[in-house]
């Protein structure tokens, strides 16, 4: 029996999940960050059309969103695309009645939500990490629980971690921003403050990731639900401290290693590549199907980076003995970034949405 025929016999359910940073999804006459940043009716229509076309073309069953200012408009668009269930647990800040800051995350799904929860900082653990008493997530994560056929209860998290943009607001006032009163910028002071600001952002982002991971592990212990984490991480998973999200081992701990195996998270892209490599061992003619290089999800100038991820619990790793599903496809929708067309893409997004297809194995 060939592999495709075998797969058709052993997989009975398919779900496609996605993560999508919308880049200032805001309905006029509201403005994002500054009073000048208001879409015209034409621009807003183009942004909505781009999203509608993406949803129609890719048909996700569950999609996590970041950079949401206008949640009601997004919920309407999602419902029009067949994503009947929508959740948001926070709201942006509004200044002067129409200037919006602090966008939020949201989720839309074809599957009903059994539970919707905002994820708050565990103050005791934040204190143990010597964080300020006022520490909170830069964007509050959310968790929904759905029931997926053949897989069962699944907790889905949506996150938007702190950006790399230097956090300068908390720094002491600069001693001098000019040199010899000449009016020229003091580049030494600027550079020093920028490094401090970037470090502050890194501390925030890493602390968010660690606290969220711990919350997810606590939930896993309580429920044994499968887990999916969708989000814009604003950094590479290969960099510390975000690499700890994929921790597989306990240092200096040997007992209970079998029980530990059910808790780590895996990158959906890596699970897909793993599966494709194993399939190609049996099917030499399909050797070109393995991606040669991971596609960037965001560009800073000419430099491409992977910032957007889908992480999965071991329930979706076929190498785990009690797994119920596997990743059969992974796609980075980056056409608007690498080959943009103004009429089509002028009001799209600065990120590439990522999608993965999951098949049950029962």
């Amino acid at each position: 029996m060939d592999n495709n025929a075998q797969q058709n016999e052993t997989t009975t359910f398919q779900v496609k999940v996605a993560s999508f940073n919308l880049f200032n999804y805001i309905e006029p006459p509201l403005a994002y960050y500054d009073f000048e940043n208001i879409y015209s009716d034409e621009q807003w229509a183009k942004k909505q059309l781009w999203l509608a076309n993406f949803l129609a073309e890719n048909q996700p069953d569950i999609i996590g969103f970041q950079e949401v200012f206008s949640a009601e408009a997004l919920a309407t668009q999602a419902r029009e695309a067949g994503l009947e269930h929508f959740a948001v647990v926070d709201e942006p800040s509004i200044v002067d009645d129409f200037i919006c800051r602090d966008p939020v995350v949201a989720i839309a799904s074809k599957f009903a939500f059994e539970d919707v929860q905002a994820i708050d900082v565990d103050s005791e653990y934040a204190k143990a990490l010597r964080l300020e008493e006022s520490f909170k997530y830069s964007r509050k994560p959310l968790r929904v629980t759905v029931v997926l056929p053949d897989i069962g209860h699944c907790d889905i998290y949506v996150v938007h971690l702190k950006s790399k943009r230097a956090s300068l607001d908390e720094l002491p006032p600069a001693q001098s921003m000019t040199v010899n009163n000449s009016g020229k910028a003091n580049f030494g002071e600027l550079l020093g403050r920028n490094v401090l600001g970037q470090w502050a952002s890194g501390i925030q982002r890493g602390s968010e990731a660690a606290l969220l991971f711990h919350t997810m592990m606590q939930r896993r212990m309580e429920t044994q639900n499968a887990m999916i984490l969708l989000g814009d991480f604003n950094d590479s998973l290969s960099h510390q401290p975000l690499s700890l999200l994929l921790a597989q081992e306990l240092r200096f701990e040997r007992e209970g290693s079998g029980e530990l195996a059910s808790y780590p998270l895996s990158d959906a892209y890596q699970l897909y590549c793993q599966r494709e490599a194993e399939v190609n061992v049996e099917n030499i003619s399909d050797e070109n199907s393995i991606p040669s290089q991971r596609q960037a999800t965001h560009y800073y100038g000419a430099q491409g980076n992977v910032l957007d991820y889908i992480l999965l619990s071991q329930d979706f790793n076929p190498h785990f003995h009690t797994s119920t599903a596997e990743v059969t496809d992974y796609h980075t929708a980056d056409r608007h970034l690498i080959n943009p067309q103004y009429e089509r893409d002028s009001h799209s997004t600065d990120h590439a949405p990522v999608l993965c297809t999951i098949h049950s194995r029962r």
Side-chain angles (χ1 to χ4, degrees):
M1 180 183 297
D2 65 32
N3 186 76
N4 290 334
Q6 184 176 12
Q7 177 177 312
N8 289 336
E9 284 191 6
T10 59
T11 60
T12 58
F13 170 72
Q14 172 182 305
V15 60
K16 183 183 287 188
V17 298
S19 182
F20 189 163
N21 183 317
L22 292 165
F23 187 51
N24 298 326
Y25 185 91
I26 186 167
E27 185 175 18
L30 295 175
Y32 54 95
Y33 303 115
D34 188 270
F35 71 94
E36 294 182 346
N37 296 330
I38 302 175
Y39 295 130
S40 67
D41 289 342
E42 180 184 1
Q43 290 170 331
W44 174 239
K46 288 187 72 173
K47 190 166 187 68
Q48 287 193 299
L49 178 61
W50 200 95
L51 173 57
N53 288 338
F54 170 84
L55 295 174
E57 179 180 347
N58 291 281
Q59 295 288 309
D61 301 296
I62 299 167
I63 180 166
F65 296 106
Q66 300 86 38
E67 292 204 28
V68 179
F69 287 107
S70 298
E72 289 186 10
L74 181 59
T76 298
Q77 270 211 270
R79 284 193 291 270
E80 290 173 350
L83 299 160
E84 293 290 333
H85 307 281
F86 185 88
V88 62
V89 295
D90 203 0
E91 57 186 26
S93 304
I94 300 181
V95 181
D96 295 332
D97 296 327
F98 73 100
I99 300 174
C100 295
R101 299 171 182 168
D102 308 314
V104 302
V105 301
I107 189 169
S109 170
K110 293 180 180 178
F111 301 93
F113 302 144
E114 283 203 350
D115 187 35
V116 177
Q117 292 290 331
I119 305 298
D120 292 312
V121 168
D122 188 315
S123 58
E124 290 188 8
Y125 281 95
K127 182 178 179 180
L129 294 177
R130 301 184 183 277
L131 300 172
E132 294 287 340
E133 188 174 340
S134 60
F135 181 88
K136 62 181 182 179
Y137 289 106
S138 54
R139 295 97 169 182
K140 185 175 290 186
L142 68 79
R143 185 196 76 229
V144 301
T145 303
V146 301
V147 178
L148 300 177
D150 295 342
I151 296 172
H153 284 82
C154 182
D155 290 331
I156 305 170
Y157 297 80
V158 184
V159 67
H160 188 183
L161 300 181
K162 180 69 177 72
S163 72
K164 288 186 176 181
R165 187 177 298 109
S167 296
L168 302 175
D169 293 344
E170 303 301 322
L171 297 181
Q175 294 183 2
S176 174
M177 296 301 286
T178 59
V179 178
N180 297 328
N181 297 319
S182 63
K184 294 182 179 179
N186 185 333
F187 289 104
E189 178 71 15
L190 288 171
L191 183 60
R193 290 176 66 81
N194 185 67
V195 167
L196 288 172
Q198 287 186 334
W199 180 246
S201 293
I203 292 172
Q204 173 80 26
R205 183 169 57 258
S207 299
E208 290 177 353
L211 289 165
L212 175 66
F213 183 80
H214 181 260
T215 296
M216 293 177 68
M217 294 301 102
Q218 292 290 108
R219 173 75 175 177
R220 175 75 161 180
M221 287 190 294
E222 294 170 3
T223 67
Q224 293 302 307
N225 290 351
M227 298 182 293
I228 300 176
L229 173 58
L230 308 170
D232 174 2
F233 291 6
N234 266 313
D235 204 348
S236 169
L237 275 179
S238 63
H239 297 163
Q240 288 275 23
L242 296 194
S243 61
L244 297 178
L245 290 172
L246 301 180
Q248 301 283 329
E249 298 178 352
L250 292 174
R251 295 188 67 185
F252 313 121
E253 187 70 44
R254 294 289 178 252
E255 294 184 6
S257 58
E259 296 178 10
L260 170 66
S262 69
Y263 288 96
L265 298 173
S266 296
D267 182 353
Y269 173 81
Q270 297 298 336
L271 290 177
Y272 168 63
C273 290
Q274 168 187 292
R275 178 184 182 277
E276 290 301 290
E278 291 169 354
V279 166
N280 293 334
V281 169
E282 302 176 5
N283 187 0
I284 303 300
S285 64
D286 199 29
E287 62 183 1
N288 293 324
S289 67
I290 302 177
S292 58
Q293 184 176 0
R294 189 168 195 166
Q295 295 159 276
T297 68
H298 185 268
Y299 287 85
Y300 184 78
Q303 177 64 47
N305 299 282
V306 180
L307 305 181
D308 303 82
Y309 292 92
I310 299 172
L311 304 188
L312 304 172
S313 61
Q314 295 303 296
D315 308 85
F316 305 97
N317 182 356
H319 286 188
F320 182 59
H321 67 286
T322 62
S323 67
T324 55
E326 62 182 332
V327 177
T328 57
D329 190 43
Y330 191 96
H331 176 58
T332 301
D334 63 352
R335 180 181 63 182
H336 63 291
L337 298 181
I338 62 174
N339 185 28
Q341 296 179 12
Y342 180 82
E343 280 302 314
R344 183 189 64 202
D345 302 318
S346 63
H347 289 82
S348 54
T349 173
D350 61 345
H351 283 247
V354 291
L355 309 96
C356 78
T357 301
I358 294 166
H359 274 89
S360 67
R361 301 177 63 243
R362 288 182 176 177

